[in-house]
Amino acid sequence: MSGIGSTGADGLNRDGDLALSEQRGLAAWLPRRLAEERASIVVVGDFMLDGWWSGSIDRMCREAPAPVVDIQRRDFAPGGAANTAMNLAALGASVSVAGVVGTDDAGVELRRQLAAAGVDTILLYEHPDLVTTTKIRISSGGQVLLRFDDSTATVPPDALATLATAVPAAVKHRDAVVICDYGMGILDGKVRTRLIESLAGRSQDTLVVVDAHDPRPWARLGPDLVTPNAQEAAKLLDVRLGNGPERAATVVRHGGRLLQETGANAVVVTLDRDGTVLIPATGNTHRTWARPATEKQASGAGDTFVAALTLARAASLPLTASLDLAQAAADVVVHHPGTSVCGTDELSRYLESFADTALSADELERHIRAHRGDGQRVVLTNGCFDVLHRGHTRYLNQAKQLGDILVVALNSDDSVRRLKGPGRPINSVADRAAVIAALSCVDYVTVFDTPTPIPLIEQLRPEIYAKGGDYTPEMLAETEAVETYGGRVIILDYVPERSTTAMVQRIRNGEGAPIPEA
């Protein structure tokens, strides 16, 4: 792997803390820095073509009680493994693909679009007896009415033999290998065996990501990451995950089994509107929260997520930071109709949009009133959050899980100076607000200038007031204000080895990340 996350000079130290020099303008910097790495990534798997046909309905069919759709527009986009490759290319990776398609019109169009995006298709073989998998949606007035799929029931054996022969060269000297197995037969038998053999002795510099409907057959590979969705995880575990936010808690409870069944170093379960859950073999679980669009006929956000996650990890970005970046990329494409990709510039603009997002207390109160009308619970926490580090992100993730809506109240610049001295804050409140707002676990950011957040608490009346550190509720001046209206004060984990003050001092002294003790 390349080294965006391995040195402080690149803006991130080995523990994933954001360096001082990169907190300002971070949103614009990170996707472009990832693109500059030009990571070499190969996508192996099931390639398909998505069709989005739309038209008007003015009459019913004479032969049956069915509407007649007069098709007025036909759009096609690479889907499945091809969509993952397209997203990787759009984010700046050097991408090649390995798979098999037909010689039909769909196969020709798929190869054309991949090549136009700069994807190397030399190892995307054509076979005359194979029907290129297509998934065509018919819609009218923005509503999908029908989808019809076309594919080959049995993959020709000689097609599999050709692909299996190409596998060792395809995966050699890559920063990352993405295996997209949607159960269409392309990765069965010889191809899977050859992939496992070719990657068995891989160096630590080669990241292996498995995105499969059933990741269990790939357990012998020992992948670095597997990325099942909610339905796939439920099937693997033979449990019902349900449809609400409790799905994440269920995934965490069964985390050990997920790791055991998949043989992976980390499992990331994607939960569509509920974000994602990370289950690592070592370390803490981590959540991301989606910012879903309403009534958008979007498809392929999972492919975008896998692509961004792979690229970030291939560049050695810390895993939790990679997840947040991948969630942001997925949030971008769910606001697009059809099957689409998230590119470097668009991801940068999306992250930049979080600048100047701090709301006034009155604006925030109006939003909270609407959330309470939907039965949602509000969590409020506060702090300076001057130089973001892993202790902060862990704490904010914990706070989010206490309720439904997380509000972060930032100390104003003057307030920070009163608390920390004339040399602080390092970053202005506008920059601090932009960085905090970009975290998927944070719903709203506001700023307060009073000695304590008590006036804000009394106005917003959050169901839960969360505080991190070596406090007890009795030590906090805010406790009485919270308990007066029936709220709860909850103290979250204290991370003693994570100190903003110590980090600032290290940077000012020109020191790097501390070396862990043996």
Side-chain angles (χ1 to χ4, degrees):
M1 296 185 211
S2 46
I4 197 170
S6 59
T7 63
D10 283 324
L12 289 151
N13 67 32
R14 293 175 179 82
D15 293 319
D17 302 323
L18 306 183
L20 275 173
S21 61
E22 300 301 345
Q23 288 230 354
R24 183 182 298 274
L26 168 70
W29 164 78
L30 187 53
R32 295 187 180 104
R33 182 68 179 84
L34 287 170
E36 290 170 3
E37 290 290 307
R38 292 294 292 168
S40 174
I41 301 174
V42 62
V43 180
V44 186
D46 294 321
F47 291 81
M48 61 190 75
L49 187 69
D50 284 349
W52 296 84
W53 296 9
S54 60
S56 60
I57 299 175
D58 297 315
R59 65 192 188 280
M60 298 295 290
C61 177
R62 291 183 179 181
E63 297 84 4
V68 175
V69 182
D70 290 317
I71 299 298
Q72 296 160 347
R73 179 169 177 168
R74 295 175 176 85
D75 294 314
F76 293 96
N83 189 33
T84 302
M86 292 286 285
N87 275 277
L88 282 164
L91 290 168
S94 175
V95 187
S96 62
V97 294
V100 185
V101 296
T103 56
D104 49 16
D105 290 345
V108 172
E109 177 65 13
L110 183 56
R111 290 178 64 90
R112 184 192 70 78
Q113 291 202 29
L114 286 167
V119 176
D120 183 349
T121 61
I122 290 177
L123 299 181
L124 185 61
Y125 297 109
E126 298 176 338
H127 196 285
D129 297 330
L130 188 73
V131 174
T132 302
T133 299
T134 57
K135 296 182 178 181
I136 297 181
R137 291 112 172 136
I138 308 296
S139 68
S140 181
Q143 177 64 52
V144 174
L145 306 173
L146 174 70
R147 191 185 90 181
F148 57 89
D149 297 357
D150 192 15
S151 62
T152 299
T154 304
V155 182
D158 57 329
L160 295 177
T162 300
L163 181 58
T165 301
V167 160
V171 302
K172 191 174 183 180
H173 302 310
R174 301 288 183 180
D175 293 314
V177 177
V178 185
I179 297 171
C180 299
D181 182 6
Y182 307 134
M184 296 179 180
I186 296 292
L187 295 180
D188 291 345
K190 291 181 180 179
V191 178
R192 178 182 293 124
T193 299
R194 189 60 62 88
L195 272 168
I196 292 174
E197 290 173 349
S198 300
L199 292 169
R202 66 185 184 273
S203 72
Q204 292 183 347
D205 290 335
T206 300
L207 176 78
V208 176
V209 179
V210 172
D211 182 25
H213 284 349
D214 184 0
R216 287 172 293 188
W218 298 99
R220 285 196 299 125
L221 180 58
D224 297 288
L225 289 167
V226 296
T227 58
N229 61 29
Q231 184 179 7
E232 292 158 356
K235 184 177 180 181
L236 187 154
L237 295 169
D238 193 25
V239 299
R240 185 178 182 277
L241 293 184
N243 296 313
E246 71 278 359
R247 291 189 298 173
T250 304
V251 168
V252 172
R253 283 199 305 272
H254 293 278
R257 276 193 60 202
L258 284 170
L259 290 167
Q260 182 179 7
E261 294 284 348
T262 62
N265 291 327
V267 178
V268 180
V269 180
T270 57
L271 302 171
D272 45 79
R273 297 180 66 89
D274 293 319
T276 70
V277 180
L278 165 68
I279 308 292
T282 59
N284 299 309
T285 60
H286 182 75
R287 284 286 313 273
T288 68
W289 281 264
R291 292 181 169 96
T294 57
E295 305 303 324
K296 286 285 186 182
Q297 301 299 330
S299 177
D303 301 327
T304 302
F305 180 89
V306 170
L309 176 62
T310 300
L311 181 63
R313 286 300 290 151
S316 298
L317 201 68
L319 184 51
T320 53
S322 299
L323 281 170
D324 282 315
L325 187 76
Q327 181 66 69
D331 289 343
V332 167
V333 298
V334 297
H335 289 80
H336 295 170
T339 306
S340 62
V341 302
C342 175
T344 297
D345 290 342
E346 189 172 18
L347 181 56
S348 293
R349 288 194 299 271
Y350 176 75
L351 293 173
E352 285 171 344
S353 71
F354 292 105
D356 303 321
T357 53
L359 301 180
S360 69
D362 290 340
E363 290 177 299
L364 189 53
E365 185 180 10
R366 287 194 292 273
H367 284 285
I368 287 175
R369 194 179 302 123
H371 287 298
R372 286 209 177 96
D374 293 333
Q376 295 177 303
R377 294 179 304 158
V378 175
V379 180
L380 173 69
T381 191
N382 67 281
C384 301
F385 297 101
D386 191 7
V387 180
L388 198 68
H389 55 69
R390 190 171 63 181
H392 288 144
T393 56
R394 175 180 168 187
Y395 157 66
L396 290 172
N397 267 273
Q398 290 176 342
K400 171 72 172 185
Q401 296 176 68
L402 297 174
D404 303 299
I405 303 297
L406 177 59
V407 178
V408 178
L410 295 176
N411 291 78
S412 69
D413 291 345
D414 286 341
S415 175
V416 175
R417 277 188 281 272
R418 290 193 296 268
L419 288 169
K420 305 291 184 179
R424 300 280 296 276
I426 301 297
N427 292 287
S428 71
V429 72
D431 291 336
R432 290 184 282 130
V435 172
I436 290 294
L439 298 176
S440 68
C441 60
V442 176
D443 296 289
Y444 297 105
V445 176
T446 191
V447 178
F448 70 99
D449 192 46
T450 52
T452 72
I454 289 176
L456 184 66
I457 289 171
E458 292 175 338
Q459 180 174 357
L460 301 181
R461 299 168 68 90
E463 280 76 11
I464 297 168
Y465 176 65
K467 194 69 178 174
D470 51 351
Y471 300 102
T472 65
E474 293 74 23
M475 295 169 61
L476 296 174
E478 300 91 333
T479 298
E480 183 179 356
V482 174
E483 293 180 346
T484 296
Y485 62 81
R488 295 174 58 205
V489 175
I490 296 181
I491 305 300
L492 296 176
D493 288 352
Y494 177 52
V495 188
E497 72 276 12
R498 296 287 155 193
S499 163
T500 299
T501 301
M503 183 179 299
V504 170
Q505 192 60 50
R506 286 207 316 270
I507 296 171
R508 284 174 170 164
N509 292 342
E511 300 173 4
I515 300 174
E517 295 182 3

